[in-house]
Amino acid sequence: DMIVLPDSSFLFATNTGLFKLDKYGTIISQNSNIKTISKLNIVDDGYLIGIAEDSLYKLDYAGNLVWVKYFQAQNILDVIYSPAGYYNASIYENNKAILLKLNKNGEILKTVQLSRKIQSLALCPDGGLIMAGDRFVQKTDSTGVIKYIKYVRPGGGEKINSSANTFIGWSSLNIDFVHVEISADGGNSWNNIIRYYPSPGSFNWSVPVINSDSCLIKVKDSYDFSISAVSDTFFSIKPYSQHEYISANEVLMWVGNNSVGSNDPQTGGNGFYWPGGINHTYQSAIFSDGLCWGGKINGETRVNGATYRTGLRPGNILQNGTAADPFDLKYRVYKIKKNWEYLPPSPERDKYEFNFLNWPAELGAPWIDNNDDGIYSPGIDQPDYIGDEVLFYVANDLDTVTSRSTFGSDPIGLEFQTTIFAFEREDLMNVVFKKYKIINKGSNDLTDLYFGYWADNDLGDANDDYSGCDTLLNLCFSYNSNNNDGVYGTPPPAVGHMLLQTPRNLSSDNDSAYFDGKWVKGYKNISLSSNVVFIKNSPYYRDPQMTVYAGTIELYNYMQGKVWNGSNFIDPITGLVTKFILPGDPVAGIGWYDGVGWPGGPQAGDRRYIITAGPCSIAPMDTQEVVIAILINKGTDRLNSLSVLKQDAVYYRDLYYTNFPVSVDDQKSMLPDEFILYQNYPNPFNPSTKIKFTLPSPSQGEGPGVRSITLKIYDILGREITTLINKELAPGNYEVEFNASSLASGVYFYRLEAGSFIQTKKMVLLR
C-alpha cells in the first residue's frame, strides 16, 4: 500500500520493508523490519496505522514504529481513529465478525460481536460509525450503539405478479422508522413504496404494474439514509396473472389460465364466494368446477378437462402446430372493467390500463372493430365489454404429461379461448357467465364429441348437500338437505350450472343455431345428453379414476349417460333406463330426487356432478362454442331457494339470446343521484381524448329531467377554444371525444355547465 503524507512525501509498504520517499521519488528512509503491512491509514492524532493480517502497527510520519499489537485474527479489515481519542478496528476472528475499541496504546477497551463481516469503516458527522459489508451498511450513533438494517425479502430471484400482494420483510436494530423503495432498473432509479413505516416489521405491498427482471427493494432509516439495505439479488415483477377473480356483482369467482374454475389459489379451497362480491364474508358455494370433453380420433376415445386436475396449459397453439410458451406474459389472465379509466390512481387501475392497452385480440379476446377493417388496431379499435367486468385467457391441451395427468388420455390438439363476464345490474347480480370457444388445431377429425361441465359444489357446509337437475333448463344444481346450513345459516341458498349455449351440429335450412352471438341457419344447437351425480363412497356413482386410461373410458361413459362400467342407469322410481340422475322435482315432490324422493338412497353429503351435451364433431380448424351460466340465489327456505334459482335460470336463458339488452328502466336505475364530470382519458393526450359525464335522474317534482348542457374547451388564459356540446340532454351517461390536432402542446381546461351545476377540470396536450 502507499499513502501521501501532509508534507507531500510518500510512505509505502512492500514485502521487503517500509519506505519513505520525498515528493520527487527519492528514498528518504526505510525500515526493513516491517514487511507484512498491506494497508496504511492516516489517523487524526498525527500518526499512521499499518494493517497486517494479524497485527496493527502504529507509525510516525517518518515510518518509525511506535508500537505493534498482535491478534488471534484471521483478518484485520480496517481501522479508523475517533476524535474522542480511540481506535476502531474491524477484525474477523474464529469465523466471527468483531469490532474493537482500542486506546492510543493499542490496548483493547471494548469488544462488540457483529452479525456480519465489516470490510470498511468511516466516521459520520454525528460522531457515529458507518460500517459497510457485502451489500449492507450498519451504523453506530455517537455513543457506539449499533444501528443496522438487514434485508430479508424479496431479493432471492422471486417472480412476483403485478397487482398481487407480496410480503416485504427486513430486520433492523435500533431503527424506529424506515422508507421502503423499489427500483425496476437495477438500482439506477428508485421510487417510493412507503415512508416512515415502523421498524422492525414487515409490509404487505400491493404490487404496481411493473414489467422488469431487474427489480430491487431498498429499506433505509427514515432519519439517516446512510443506514440502508438492498435486495441481495434481482427479482422479477411481471404483469402475469395465473389466476384472477371476477367480482362485478354479488359473486366473487376465481379462475386460472389453465382452465381451473371456482378454486381460490390463495387457500386451495372454495373459490366461488357469495354474497358480497369483492366485500364477501367468506361464505362460499363451489370448491372447483370446469369444462370437460370427450370424443374419438380414428376410433380411439380421448377425454380431458378440468376437475381436480386440469389437462390444459396456458397459451395458444402456434401456426406450426406446437404449443406456445405457457409462461409468456401474453398468456396471463386478462381483466378489464367498464369505466376503469375514471378510477383514482392505484395498482388496480394500472392493471386495467395495462390490459386495455395490450388487449389480446389476436388470441381471440372479444373486440369491437370500430373502423370495420378486420384488423385490431389499438387506439382505434377497443376491447368488447360484453359484461361490466370481463376476463380472458387462452389455453391448449398439447402437453402430453399434463393431458395424461387427468384421465390418462393423449392430447387432441384443441385450443380454448375462454371469456368470463358478469354484470353490475340489479337483475344480474347473482350470476357469472363463461364462454368457451374451442378450435380443433390438430390434424384429426374429432367425432362422437361430448362437452360437459363438471362441478364440486360445497354449498357452505358440504356435508348436508343434495343435488339434482332440470333437463328442460339444461340446469344442474345443489341445494341444502335442511333449512339451516352450517355456513350460510337460515335459509340456505341454492347454486347451479346451466348449459346456456350448447355446441352445434349441421342441420336443415329450417333450423338455426346460436353461434358467435347470432343465429346461423343450417345448424342446430345439440340437446342435453346426460346428467350424472358423483357420490362419495358409492360404487355405482363413483368419481372416474384419474391418471390412468381407464378413467377416460369411465368419464366418457358418464358423458353418454351410462354407468362408469358401460351399463345403464335405472331410475328407481320408474324402473326405466335413464341418462339423467335425479331429474325429479323436489319442490313438487315428483319423480326421482335426492332425499325422500330416492327410496333407499344415500344420505346428504358431498356431491359432484357433470352435465353434458352431445354428440357432435369438430374437424381440423373447425370451431365449437359452449356457454355456461353459474348462478346462485336464496329464497325463504331451502326449497324456495331452488325455485328462485330455476326462475333465474329461465330469465338468464331468455336474456342471453337477446344479447343482454339494457332497458330504459335499467339505465335509469344505474344512474347516480348527482352530476359527475370525470377526468378525461387519456391524460396527457395526443391528439384526442375522451370526456365523460353523467346527468342524474331528476329529483321528485323536477319533471322529465331534460337539461340544457354546454361543454366547452378553454386555453390556460381562459380563452374559449371550442364548444363540444350545446343542447338539451336527458339523464344518462355521456362521452364525447375532443380532437386537439390543430392545437399546440400545453394545459387546457374543459367546463361543464348544466343549470346550477358548473365544474371545470384540467387536461394536458403533450405532443
Side-chain angles (χ1 to χ4, degrees):
D1 193 23
M2 181 178 68
I3 196 163
V4 180
L5 299 174
D7 62 358
S8 299
S9 62
F10 298 86
L11 194 67
F12 68 93
T14 72
N15 57 5
T16 61
L18 189 66
F19 296 84
K20 183 174 182 179
L21 288 73
D22 63 19
K23 61 182 179 181
Y24 302 108
T26 302
I27 297 175
I28 300 172
S29 63
Q30 70 180 72
N31 188 338
S32 301
N33 296 320
I34 303 176
K35 301 179 180 180
T36 58
I37 292 176
S38 60
K39 184 176 182 181
L40 289 167
N41 287 346
I42 294 179
V43 290
D44 293 340
D45 59 351
Y47 291 90
L48 302 172
I49 288 292
I51 303 174
E53 182 176 340
D54 60 354
S55 54
L56 293 178
Y57 296 83
K58 185 173 182 180
L59 309 165
D60 62 20
Y61 283 174
N64 299 313
L65 182 64
V66 178
W67 51 251
V68 61
K69 296 293 180 181
Y70 298 96
F71 301 92
Q72 298 298 317
Q74 286 87 9
N75 199 359
I76 300 177
L77 300 170
D78 204 1
V79 178
I80 61 170
Y81 180 73
S82 167
Y86 55 85
Y87 298 96
N88 296 288
S90 168
I91 73 172
Y92 196 62
E93 184 177 67
N94 297 325
N95 296 318
K96 294 180 181 179
I98 297 171
L99 181 67
L100 298 179
K101 181 178 180 181
L102 309 172
N103 65 15
K104 290 186 177 182
N105 296 320
E107 296 164 341
I108 297 175
L109 301 177
K110 186 177 181 180
T111 300
V112 179
Q113 186 168 317
L114 305 174
S115 59
R116 301 178 73 173
K117 192 175 181 179
I118 304 299
Q119 296 174 329
S120 62
L121 299 166
L123 282 170
C124 292
D126 64 2
L129 275 178
I130 288 289
M131 304 180 293
D134 184 16
R135 300 184 70 85
F136 81 98
V137 175
Q138 293 183 359
K139 185 179 184 296
T140 72
D141 61 17
S142 58
T143 64
V145 174
I146 294 176
K147 294 185 175 183
Y148 68 78
I149 297 170
K150 291 192 296 182
Y151 186 69
V152 180
R153 57 171 296 197
E158 293 92 339
K159 295 181 179 180
I160 298 172
N161 292 332
S162 291
S163 305
N165 288 328
T166 195
F167 171 79
I168 296 177
W170 66 92
S171 62
S172 65
L173 182 66
N174 297 316
I175 305 292
D176 294 325
F177 295 93
V178 295
H179 287 14
V180 183
E181 298 176 342
I182 172 74
S183 173
D185 56 10
N188 292 318
S189 62
W190 296 90
N191 293 306
N192 176 66
I193 293 176
I194 194 168
R195 303 171 69 217
Y196 299 103
Y197 193 78
S199 184
S202 60
F203 178 64
N204 192 25
W205 181 36
S206 182
V207 184
V209 175
I210 295 174
N211 184 11
S212 173
D213 292 312
S214 304
C215 294
L216 295 169
I217 292 289
K218 179 190 291 183
V219 182
K220 62 186 183 182
D221 188 339
S222 296
Y223 302 105
D224 186 347
F225 292 170
S226 66
I227 307 175
S228 64
V230 180
S231 309
D232 287 334
T233 58
F234 294 142
F235 61 93
S236 301
I237 298 178
K238 298 286 187 180
Y240 179 88
S241 302
Q242 291 178 292
H243 300 88
E244 189 56 87
Y245 62 83
I246 190 165
S247 60
N249 48 38
E250 289 292 315
V251 174
L252 187 151
M253 183 184 77
W254 283 96
V255 299
N257 62 350
N258 59 355
S259 81
V260 167
S262 299
N263 189 261
D264 190 334
Q266 302 171 121
T267 65
N270 290 21
F272 183 94
Y273 298 98
W274 181 90
I278 190 67
N279 298 311
H280 65 83
T281 58
Y282 293 92
Q283 293 173 307
S284 58
I286 303 173
F287 173 74
S288 186
D289 60 15
L291 189 70
C292 293
W293 56 95
K296 295 185 178 182
I297 294 179
N298 298 323
E300 178 190 346
T301 302
R302 299 190 187 183
V303 162
N304 210 330
T307 58
Y308 296 116
R309 299 185 179 190
T310 176
L312 301 185
R313 300 190 79 191
N316 64 334
I317 297 177
L318 305 176
Q319 287 187 347
N320 62 8
T322 62
D325 178 4
F327 302 106
D328 191 309
L329 175 63
K330 65 182 178 182
Y331 302 124
R332 66 190 183 276
V333 180
Y334 292 77
K335 180 178 181 179
I336 56 173
K337 184 176 184 177
K338 280 186 179 177
N339 300 323
W340 63 266
E341 59 267 41
Y342 305 110
L343 293 173
S346 64
E348 180 187 22
R349 185 191 183 281
D350 292 343
K351 175 176 66 176
Y352 293 138
E353 181 173 27
F354 187 86
N355 288 334
F356 182 90
L357 296 176
N358 296 278
W359 191 242
E362 75 282 3
L363 298 178
W367 59 285
I368 299 174
D369 192 0
N370 287 324
N371 59 358
D372 295 320
D373 66 351
I375 301 172
Y376 186 77
S377 303
I380 299 174
D381 303 319
Q382 65 187 64
D384 187 0
Y385 292 97
I386 59 177
D388 292 311
E389 200 165 290
V390 182
L391 275 58
F392 175 83
Y393 67 87
V394 61
N396 69 84
D397 73 343
L398 281 187
D399 185 73
T400 301
V401 173
T402 303
S403 180
R404 290 178 179 176
S405 72
T406 56
F407 301 101
S409 291
D410 283 336
I412 296 171
L414 299 180
E415 178 178 300
F416 294 78
Q417 299 170 2
T418 305
T419 306
I420 300 99
F421 55 101
F423 297 86
E424 190 179 5
R425 281 175 43 175
E426 186 174 348
D427 59 334
L428 295 171
M429 293 300 286
N430 303 306
V431 61
V432 177
F433 301 91
K434 280 187 174 182
K435 180 178 181 180
Y436 297 91
K437 184 177 181 180
I438 305 105
I439 306 173
N440 183 1
K441 291 192 174 180
S443 58
N444 298 299
D445 288 330
L446 185 58
T447 61
D448 302 307
L449 175 62
Y450 294 82
F451 286 99
Y453 203 82
W454 172 93
D456 182 355
N457 295 338
D458 289 351
L459 188 57
D461 181 356
N463 297 310
D464 58 0
D465 291 354
Y466 281 158
S467 290
C469 73
D470 188 319
T471 57
L472 298 178
L473 293 175
N474 289 5
L475 175 69
C476 231
F477 51 80
S478 294
Y479 61 106
N480 231 57
S481 61
N482 59 72
N483 271 327
N484 188 8
D485 178 74
V487 174
Y488 277 106
T490 303
V495 66
H497 295 78
M498 178 167 57
L499 283 180
L500 192 59
Q501 179 188 322
T502 59
R504 59 179 180 159
N505 270 336
L506 284 169
S507 188
S508 69
D509 289 340
N510 295 325
D511 289 325
S512 293
Y514 201 73
F515 181 84
D516 198 24
K518 55 185 177 291
W519 292 99
V520 182
K521 279 192 172 184
Y523 291 88
K524 186 176 182 180
N525 294 111
I526 58 179
S527 301
L528 199 66
S529 60
S530 68
N531 168 75
V532 175
V533 175
F534 306 113
I535 302 172
K536 187 176 181 180
N537 298 324
S538 171
Y540 197 60
Y541 301 95
R542 65 172 175 80
D543 298 286
Q545 298 179 72
M546 303 197 74
T547 73
V548 294
Y549 188 73
T552 288
I553 303 303
E554 292 171 3
L555 182 55
Y556 191 67
N557 282 334
Y558 281 139
M559 298 176 85
Q560 296 177 89
K562 298 180 180 180
V563 182
W564 59 270
N565 59 12
S567 61
N568 293 319
F569 285 113
I570 304 298
D571 185 322
I573 303 301
T574 65
L576 300 176
V577 172
T578 183
K579 295 183 178 182
F580 300 95
I581 308 305
L582 301 173
D585 185 349
V587 177
I590 299 172
W592 179 22
Y593 61 91
D594 231 337
V596 297
W598 192 349
Q603 295 181 345
D606 193 7
R607 304 273 201 270
R608 281 82 58 207
Y609 56 62
I610 185 168
I611 185 168
T612 306
C616 61
S617 62
I618 182 169
M621 297 312 298
D622 198 2
T623 301
Q624 290 283 11
E625 280 184 354
V626 177
V627 179
I628 308 296
I630 308 174
L631 54 154
I632 186 170
N633 213 334
K634 180 171 67 173
T636 56
D637 58 46
R638 69 182 188 94
L639 293 180
N640 183 249
S641 293
L642 186 54
S643 296
V644 171
L645 189 80
K646 291 186 178 184
Q647 292 167 10
D648 289 347
V650 173
Y651 180 75
Y652 300 150
R653 179 194 61 191
D654 295 344
L655 199 60
Y656 174 75
Y657 288 100
T658 52
N659 288 316
F660 300 107
V662 180
S663 69
V664 174
D665 289 339
D666 288 331
Q667 289 181 2
K668 289 181 179 179
S669 68
M670 290 186 287
L671 292 176
D673 57 3
E674 61 181 352
F675 290 93
I676 301 176
L677 177 62
Y678 297 95
Q679 185 64 51
N680 66 300
Y681 180 82
N683 187 41
F685 65 97
N686 177 29
S688 62
T689 187
K690 292 181 179 180
I691 300 170
K692 180 180 177 181
F693 60 92
T694 295
L695 304 181
S697 299
S699 302
Q700 190 171 4
E702 272 193 340
V706 176
R707 298 176 173 88
S708 178
I709 305 298
T710 62
L711 179 62
K712 297 183 177 183
I713 307 297
Y714 298 88
D715 66 15
I716 196 169
L717 298 178
R719 296 174 297 197
E720 183 177 327
I721 301 298
T722 187
T723 298
L724 298 179
I725 296 177
N726 184 13
K727 60 183 178 181
E728 291 187 338
L729 295 176
N733 296 305
Y734 296 90
E735 186 176 82
V736 61
E737 184 170 345
F738 170 52
N739 190 303
S741 56
S742 62
L743 299 177
S745 296
V747 176
Y748 294 86
F749 298 90
Y750 56 100
R751 179 183 178 94
L752 178 68
E753 295 189 21
S756 60
F757 175 81
I758 301 174
Q759 189 170 4
T760 303
K761 287 185 177 289
K762 181 174 70 174
M763 58 184 173
V764 178
L765 173 60
L766 187 62
R767 295 192 180 280

